[in-house]
């Protein structure tokens, strides 16, 4: 069995994990930076990078101690090399390089995309993936390690961004996703009419900027209870996600066959309403459904270690002059979505 040390530092979570190639999570440690960024109302890149410098090495030591291992037992180190905030990515990558072990430069999105295979040994390629996080909202066909075809992306905001902005509008704080979900449980989604951007459109792309503006107007009108706005917003996201996936599945019928499994990954995959709707969608299409456990959905180092283990097994290590990359698409061939970059 190979043992991989995973390091994550692309945003506001510092994390270290030790993963066995047989899918054992030997240790995983996480240090959030919420308090450091709170006074500024969002993640400040310089503060994030400095925090990673302070905590990464102690976190790695703690993970090794949890697993009862020394650095000598580690076969390779997998570090997020992008996409993300460049300062933090550099800190993680340099920390990995300094250890003098084989290096695996992991795309953070590939970490999310392969995380369901860490949780479920039976999940085989190809699968249809909804990748929904704070920075990304994509539908991908996953044909193998490093083999991704992007079928859809967002033309403005990511789904997690929409949750975070809705939370801000409702005064719930950051990170917004879990707080909006909790509030939505007590609300009536039918009490507030909200739009479903791009619903029914031919290409399976996403758009959430118009929904966010509608949430702002509903909140400012003073006519609605916050829990009803939260519930209506979440239902609108669910409806959009289901409709867009229906389109992607219909389109994939003609191109190499429909994958047998529907998979969701990324921070927003922690959302219970989205999970249930996807499970029902998969059942309607006679597909299996896989969603990683909640702790593996939001940013962590276990998914980076696992992506590293998958790559290491294929002999895919990287040179020490590997650059940190602020942008790094999973499917470099994918064209920009029409209307992309236009924010409402
Ligand atoms: O994957 P992730 O941890 O970081 C990125 O790579 O972006 O995703 C974070 C995003 C945030 O926008 C957060 O609000 C959202 O995931 N999120 C949720 C839930 N938990 C986290 N969104 C909806 N419902 C949740 N339960
Ligand atoms: Zn992420």
């Amino acid at each position: 069995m190979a043992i991989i040390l995973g390091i994550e530092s692309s945003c506001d979570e510092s994390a270290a994990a030790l993963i066995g190639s047989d899918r054992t999570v030997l240790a995983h440690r996480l240090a959030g930076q919420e308090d450091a960024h709170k006074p500024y109302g969002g993640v400040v890149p310089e503060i994030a990078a400095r925090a990673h410098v302070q905590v990464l090495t102690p976190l790695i030591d703690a993970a090794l101690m949890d697993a009862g291992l020394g650095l000598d037992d580690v076969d390779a180190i997998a570090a997020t090399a992008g996409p993300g905030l460049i300062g933090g990515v550099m800190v993680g990558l340099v920390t990995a390089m300094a250890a003098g072990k084989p290096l695996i430069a992991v795309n953070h999105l590939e970490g999310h995309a392969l995380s369901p295979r860490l949780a479920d040994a039976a999940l085989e390629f190809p699968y249809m993936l909804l990748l929904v996080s704070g920075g990304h909202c994509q539908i991908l066909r996953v044909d193998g390690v490093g083999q991704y075809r992007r079928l859809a992306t967002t033309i403005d905001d990511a789904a997690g961004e929409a949750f975070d902005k809705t939370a801000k509008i409702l005064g719930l704080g950051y990170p917004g996703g879990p707080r909006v979900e909790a509030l939505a449980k007590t609300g009536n989604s039918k009490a507030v009419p909200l739009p479903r951007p791009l619903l029914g459109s031919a290409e399976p792309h996403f758009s959430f900027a118009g929904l966010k503006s509608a949430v702002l107007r509903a909140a400012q009108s003073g006519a609605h209870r916050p829990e009803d706005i939260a519930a209506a917003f979440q239902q609108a996201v669910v409806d959009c996600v289901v409709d867009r996936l229906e389109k992607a599945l219909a389109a994939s019928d003609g191109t190499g066959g429909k994958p047998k499994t529907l998979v969701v990954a990324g921070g927003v995959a922690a959302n219970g309403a989205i999970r249930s709707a996807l499970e029902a969608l998969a059942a309607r299409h006679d597909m299996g459904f896989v969603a990683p456990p909640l702790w593996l959905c939001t940013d962590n180092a276990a998914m980076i270690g696992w992506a590293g283990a998958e790559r290491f097994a294929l002999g895919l290590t990287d040179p020490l002059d590997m650059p940190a990359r602020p942008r790094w698409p999973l499917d470099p061939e994918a064209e920009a979505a029409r209307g992309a970059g236009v924010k409402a």
Side-chain angles (χ1 to χ4, degrees):
M1 178 177 86
I3 293 174
I4 311 293
L5 166 63
I7 297 176
E8 161 60 29
S9 60
S10 65
C11 190
D12 59 346
E13 313 276 0
S14 314
L18 288 148
I19 304 296
S21 54
D22 65 350
R23 292 186 164 77
T24 15
V25 179
L26 299 160
H28 77 99
R29 285 265 185 164
L30 190 80
Q33 307 175 352
E34 240 179 287
D35 290 345
H37 300 291
K38 204 178 260 167
Y40 307 95
V43 178
V44 182
E46 289 76 11
I47 293 176
R50 217 170 303 139
H52 290 305
V53 169
Q54 281 164 358
V55 305
L56 257 185
T57 302
L59 269 182
I60 292 167
D61 291 343
L64 284 168
M65 197 134 86
D66 292 347
L69 297 172
L71 203 52
D72 286 350
D73 302 309
V74 170
D75 294 288
I77 304 187
T80 298
L85 300 173
I86 192 72
V89 174
M90 284 170 70
V91 172
L93 200 52
V94 167
T95 305
M97 287 167 171
K101 296 271 176 183
L103 173 75
I104 303 148
V106 172
N107 183 319
H108 177 87
L109 300 174
E110 180 164 66
H112 281 300
L114 297 177
S115 65
R117 280 169 53 82
L118 170 59
D120 188 337
L123 175 59
E124 287 175 5
F125 302 119
Y127 50 85
M128 189 65 97
L129 172 70
L130 174 69
L131 175 46
V132 272
S133 69
H136 299 271
C137 186
Q138 305 185 346
I139 300 173
L140 297 143
R141 188 189 154 101
V142 181
D143 285 314
V145 175
Q147 296 173 46
Y148 306 94
R149 196 145 57 79
R150 198 198 72 192
L151 305 173
T153 187
T154 179
I155 63 169
D156 41 57
D157 295 348
E161 206 176 344
F163 268 94
D164 293 334
K165 285 175 179 171
T166 294
K168 201 166 184 180
I169 291 167
L170 297 177
L172 304 177
Y174 181 89
R179 295 170 197 212
V180 171
E181 180 177 14
L183 186 62
K185 285 200 169 73
T186 60
N188 173 8
S189 66
K190 296 201 171 65
V192 188
L194 291 176
R196 271 97 174 123
L198 293 184
L199 202 83
S201 75
E203 285 180 305
H205 294 310
F206 295 91
S207 168
F208 293 110
L211 175 58
K212 172 197 66 190
S213 309
V215 165
L216 182 61
R217 282 193 298 276
Q220 284 173 341
S221 75
H224 303 290
R225 301 189 308 159
E227 54 268 47
D228 291 342
I229 297 176
F233 162 78
Q234 184 171 269
Q235 189 57 48
V237 174
V238 166
D239 291 349
C240 290
V241 163
V242 168
D243 177 75
R244 309 292 62 213
L245 270 167
E246 290 277 10
K247 276 281 177 316
L249 288 171
S252 76
D253 263 348
T255 52
K258 196 162 80 179
K260 285 204 254 329
T261 317
L262 177 65
V263 174
V264 63
V268 184
N271 186 280
I274 292 176
R275 280 177 180 245
S276 325
L278 295 182
E279 198 168 358
L281 172 75
R284 284 201 297 280
H285 284 264
D286 216 7
M287 296 172 83
F289 176 64
V290 174
L294 300 191
W295 72 270
L296 201 51
C297 288
T298 45
D299 285 351
N300 64 84
M303 68 180 193
I304 303 303
W306 174 250
E310 294 243 39
R311 293 195 150 257
F312 193 63
L314 298 171
L316 299 171
T317 55
D318 293 290
L320 286 180
D321 59 357
M322 193 71 188
R325 303 172 66 171
R327 293 179 56 81
W328 188 0
L330 272 184
D331 177 3
E333 312 273 286
E335 289 171 26
R338 217 175 313 134
V342 184
K343 290 215 179 196

